[in-house]
Amino acid sequence: MPETAILGTRVITKPFKVQAVAQLLATTNDTVRRMVDDSGIIVARQESGPKTRLFSVENIFELARYRAAKRSKNPKKRQVVATVYAPKGGVGKTTLASNLGTLFALKGLRTLIIDLDFQANLTLSLGYDSELTREEASETGVSLSKIVEYHFGNLLPSYPSPNGRATLQDAIKKPFGDCGPHLVPADLTLDRLDTMLTYEALEGRGPDLMIPKLIRDGSAQKDAAFDTSGYDVILFDAAPAKNRITRGALLASDFVISPVSMEKFSTKALSYLSSVLTEMQEQFDRSPELLIVGNFFDPHRIRVMGQLMTITQKYADSWLEQSIRRSEDFPKALNGETDLPLVLQKPSSQAAAELQACADALLKRMGMIDG
Amino acid sequence: MAKHSSDDDFVKALRSRDATAPRSSMVLNTPPVGPKKSLDDVLAHSAQQAESASTEPRIDAVAAQAREARDLATPDDTGRFVALDLLEPHEWNARVHRPTSRINEIAASIASDRQHMPLAIVPNPSVPGRYYILDGETRYWALKALKRKEAWVIDADADAADPAAFYFESFKRTDETVKISAIDQGIKWAKLIEGNFATPGRVAAELSVSPATVSRMIAYAKFSEPVLDFMHAHADRFPYSVAAVLAPLAENGESDEDILNICQKVVDEQFSRRLLESFMKERSKADNKRPRKSALFAIPIKAGKAQVGSFRTYENGALEFKVTDTNAFSDDKGRVLPTVFEAVSEAIASDSTDFLEDIMERLRKLKAEGSRA
């Protein structure tokens, strides 16, 4: 299990041993060693004592990408756009988004996560404090690459950015290197994007298609400033609000992954979401397919099972069989001492195994891996 | 069910309950089912709808009024439409750098929506009926790219024959739309001052900046076009204070490649002005100790089979003649050698076709002069 040490506000992740890497890549220790030898990826070794391999987090994603490239005879698959969303706070959207993004990248998929919540919790969970200024970073010795300078709004052509439109390359962060998930971070000013979309609506300019157009043009290489054609998965993490940013992301998405926390309000939120999707379908003949992930699941609690019955009967086609059980590992992972999603922090935990199974099931449903 | 039954039994019982049994009074809507359009289809459909919504190009109410006013051929506050062919950019437009990406962006906006702002134009004093663009040149290029026939314009007041007056008016209008970069400002200010069209004091007064700012901003004009293009592409890293630190490089005639390498470093390592100053200081120290670059070509000088020296040429034009076997090198020979080098040096600089003969001729002349002396 990797441990972390804090130097000022800089977090240094201790290296992973081969067992942890094998667990993360769902393979054996020997296979990992063989992949390292075959791929030529440079992995550090312990300086004193036994020369144990010490993998950096970047090494793991490099191996994942190497394995995917080797396995796939036809590497170009269609791009999938998904939004993690529930119109209800505290159901685990951000945790699910950061872990799914990480797990997708561990499958070797080129993954872009876009934080659409101005609270920027996803951004923070991947090691970027959106409030950190350039001066504070210099004073505390934090790399300038950790500063959040652009958010998703700055990537839209019509967003009035102070220095002109930012490019995707300006905005993206690579918390775990090139092969890991990439992130378009958020900050407090992202809510201005919603203001702009509302303004456009009041001006009668139909803002609903602005985000979908950006995503389509990015995927089709029609927009030099926002070229997302290299990504296999684009994953939006939407705020619980039913705002225009979320609406745009949903319309751009093929799937909406909705965590449900197995209680009444959360179940009701599925109904609200269904109404939003139905309205979207009526207006555009398009809406993302709903995939429901049971979160904080506890099979030993009768009230939870009651909600399960309701959801599985009402939303049978959308319910994902793999659920994520309630675990103390989740709150512990948010203790502020690390910038790693739970699957990387505790690869051998039950929670990580369930997240991995959930990611596999989602990828299968999204047509990204074969059954 | 007995009270002592296990949770597992209870779960089984729950699972086997009749689906129609009342469970909750909560209304639960379900997601839509049925065929779904692709994003491409949705966007194409939306574009079609927009197209069919109006048979004419879409223009807003103000522009519509302006179109009506066109027939009257009298300019009014809401502007009018003018054939694009009658417009031309002016040399003293305040903006220098106009990235293609920005032109494309505006073109996309006009194509998908409309021209949001009119161009400000002034009459061309030399060719009646034609106009110079005072503000909106980027929109002009976007309209050109879209092969539009006409542009929405408003008439402005500025003397197109007076560079300074035109520039200041263009600056005030253009800067209001999208800020003019410091680089563009510096370039044009330097041109105004060098061309004696305006003094630094007038630039400062017209644009409400301090004279010190003007004198520092014109540092940009010292750089070549490729360097300025690079700086403009990374404008946030090259404020005038940074440009002023880099300006001596251009003044000292350093190559564009060397200057661009330092500019790249400024971007990559996010140099502040202070960091750059200390870097330049270190660099100039290192320059003094810098090892010579390798020779372009080196010719060995031989005495019989043994090499006794070498002749080298360098990129900076320097020639080097080295003799290693100097045991027999007397003072007399040492006094003659500069004369020989002088003759060779002059021969190199001359246009003569027979280099060897030229050297010999010069040596003969020098020898004759030497013997006369």
Side-chain angles (χ1 to χ4, degrees), chain A residues 270-279 290 311 313-316 318, chain B residues 27-33:
Chain A
L270 288 175
S271 174
Y272 297 145
L273 173 56
S274 298
S275 301
V276 169
L277 298 181
T278 301
E279 188 189 314
L290 175 63
I311 296 168
Q313 284 175 10
K314 199 77 184 174
Y315 303 99
S318 303
Chain B
V27 175
L28 290 176
N29 295 313
T30 53
V33 288

Side-chain angles (χ1 to χ4, degrees), chain A residues 134 144-145 149-150 157-158 162-163 165 200 203 205 209 212-213 215-217 222 251-253 264-265 267-268 270-272 274-275 277-278 281 284-290 299-302 305-311 313-315 317-318, chain B residues 7-8 10-21 23-47 49 58 101-102 104-105 108-109 112-114 116 178-179 236-237 269-271:
Chain A
R134 189 172 280 268
L144 293 178
S145 66
E149 289 186 295
Y150 303 104
S158 48
N163 297 316
R165 184 188 180 196
E200 295 288 331
E203 290 283 297
R205 284 196 283 268
L209 293 171
K213 185 173 185 307
I215 295 299
R216 195 277 309 264
D217 289 353
K222 287 181 180 173
L251 188 53
S253 295
K264 186 176 171 179
F265 297 147
T267 307
K268 185 65 181 171
L270 288 175
S271 174
Y272 297 145
S274 298
S275 301
L277 298 181
T278 301
Q281 181 71 27
F284 297 103
D285 284 339
R286 175 183 166 85
S287 58
E289 185 181 335
L290 175 63
H300 300 300
R301 287 185 192 274
I302 288 167
M305 294 312 291
Q307 291 299 320
L308 175 69
M309 290 302 295
T310 307
I311 296 168
Q313 284 175 10
K314 199 77 184 174
Y315 303 99
D317 293 339
S318 303
Chain B
D7 279 351
D8 286 346
F10 183 77
V11 169
K12 274 182 200 158
L14 269 174
R15 282 189 184 279
S16 62
R17 278 195 311 191
D18 181 358
T20 57
R23 218 153 284 122
S24 164
S25 58
M26 191 161 68
V27 175
L28 290 176
N29 295 313
T30 53
V33 288
K36 289 175 172 132
K37 277 186 180 173
S38 72
L39 208 47
D40 273 334
D41 290 342
V42 171
L43 290 166
H45 179 68
S46 159
Q49 275 187 329
R58 279 185 294 158
S101 58
R102 178 71 186 141
N104 292 343
E105 199 180 302
S109 160
S112 67
D113 200 354
R114 63 187 161 83
H116 285 259
V178 176
K179 286 274 172 211
D236 57 328
R237 303 278 4 134
E269 299 181 24
Q270 309 197 327
F271 275 173

